[in-house]
Amino acid sequence: MENLSPLPQSEPLSVAAQRLSLRRRLQPQLQQLCTDFFHEVDDFLFASGPQGQFADDCVYLKAMRELRAKQRLFEETLQRAWFRSLQSGDSRTSSAGDGRRLTRSDAVFEKVEIDLALQAMQRKANKFYLPFIRQIDAINEKYRSSPDQQVIAGHALIESTLDAFSQAQTVFALDLDIRLIFIKLFE
């Protein structure tokens, strides 16, 4: 073992290793975000329902059940989409397909409402995290010798998270009002 020399690392391999390390370090934080998020959503929906009047037809109770039943599916979808989006830089937002039967005009209206909520979330995140985006961009500028050697684009974490959330939130069959609350709470 002492006679073995370390493998030489080319710059692209080093960048790839750094990207993998970053994804591995962020995965537990993404999981913790999901856990905290679902606790907040559950508490919010419970507090929003008419106290003492949780009948089976209560929209808040139905939403709580739906969210609890599909929480793990949401988390898995979010993580898969986040890693895929972060790795490829691909942004394929999808806000339809929650399994409910809607007329064409209702589906279009819902898609527009959801897209507007997701766009507002992105604007707010970009504004809030602008100092961090600039910091990441400055680090990339300092250490890269070509554009394809940056570890991660400054905006990639926000875009990947929002893209993944957009895809993952479709696993739920929720009324538009509850879905918009869900999006706002994630914001």
Side-chain angles (χ1 to χ4, degrees), residues 5 10 34 41 56-57 74 76 130 132 174:
S5 61
S10 65
C34 286
V41 170
D56 283 340
D57 62 342
F74 172 87
E76 290 169 357
L130 184 60
F132 299 105
L174 298 171

Side-chain angles (χ1 to χ4, degrees), residues 162-178:
L162 294 178
D163 177 54
F165 176 80
S166 177
Q167 292 177 46
Q169 61 89 28
T170 64
V171 303
F172 300 115
L174 298 171
D175 291 337
L176 178 60
D177 294 342
I178 299 296

Side-chain angles (χ1 to χ4, degrees), residues 19 22 26 82 85-91 93 121-141 144 147 150-164:
R19 288 178 184 155
L22 179 65
L26 291 175
W82 186 77
S85 179
L86 190 60
Q87 182 176 5
S88 68
D90 188 19
S91 187
T93 56
M121 185 189 315
Q122 183 165 14
R123 281 192 306 274
K124 189 173 182 177
N126 284 333
K127 183 178 177 182
F128 183 81
Y129 292 110
L130 184 60
F132 299 105
I133 293 169
R134 289 183 178 156
Q135 185 179 15
I136 292 169
D137 288 340
I139 291 169
N140 279 324
E141 286 298 318
R144 74 175 175 194
Q150 68 183 6
V151 175
I152 189 167
H155 61 278
L157 293 173
I158 292 172
E159 287 184 2
S160 294
T161 303
L162 294 178
D163 177 54

Side-chain angles (χ1 to χ4, degrees), residues 34-186:
C34 286
T35 300
D36 294 345
F37 171 60
F38 275 93
H39 288 310
E40 290 295 321
V41 170
D42 194 66
D43 291 347
F44 180 87
L45 291 175
F46 183 76
S48 297
Q51 295 302 316
Q53 299 178 17
F54 279 114
D56 283 340
D57 62 342
C58 179
V59 68
Y60 293 104
L61 185 60
K62 286 180 182 178
M64 287 171 62
R65 286 180 177 150
E66 175 73 7
L67 292 168
R68 287 176 181 170
K70 294 182 181 172
Q71 178 179 348
R72 187 71 190 135
L73 177 60
F74 172 87
E75 291 171 350
E76 290 169 357
T77 304
L78 180 75
Q79 286 190 7
R80 268 194 318 273
W82 186 77
F83 286 124
R84 186 175 48 246
S85 179
L86 190 60
Q87 182 176 5
S88 68
D90 188 19
S91 187
R92 295 169 298 172
T93 56
S94 170
S95 56
D98 64 17
R100 292 177 296 135
R101 303 255 184 231
L102 298 172
T103 66
R104 185 169 173 85
S105 62
D106 287 343
V108 169
F109 174 73
E110 280 201 17
K111 181 166 180 16
V112 168
E113 286 283 325
I114 292 167
D115 286 347
L116 288 172
L118 293 170
Q119 289 170 10
M121 185 189 315
Q122 183 165 14
R123 281 192 306 274
K124 189 173 182 177
N126 284 333
K127 183 178 177 182
F128 183 81
Y129 292 110
L130 184 60
F132 299 105
I133 293 169
R134 289 183 178 156
Q135 185 179 15
I136 292 169
D137 288 340
I139 291 169
N140 279 324
E141 286 298 318
K142 184 176 180 180
Y143 293 107
R144 74 175 175 194
S145 58
S146 70
D148 62 335
Q149 290 181 328
Q150 68 183 6
V151 175
I152 189 167
H155 61 278
L157 293 173
I158 292 172
E159 287 184 2
S160 294
T161 303
L162 294 178
D163 177 54
F165 176 80
S166 177
Q167 292 177 46
Q169 61 89 28
T170 64
V171 303
F172 300 115
L174 298 171
D175 291 337
L176 178 60
D177 294 342
I178 299 296
R179 187 175 302 278
L180 293 174
I181 290 169
F182 183 76
I183 292 169
K184 187 65 177 174
L185 291 172
F186 187 82

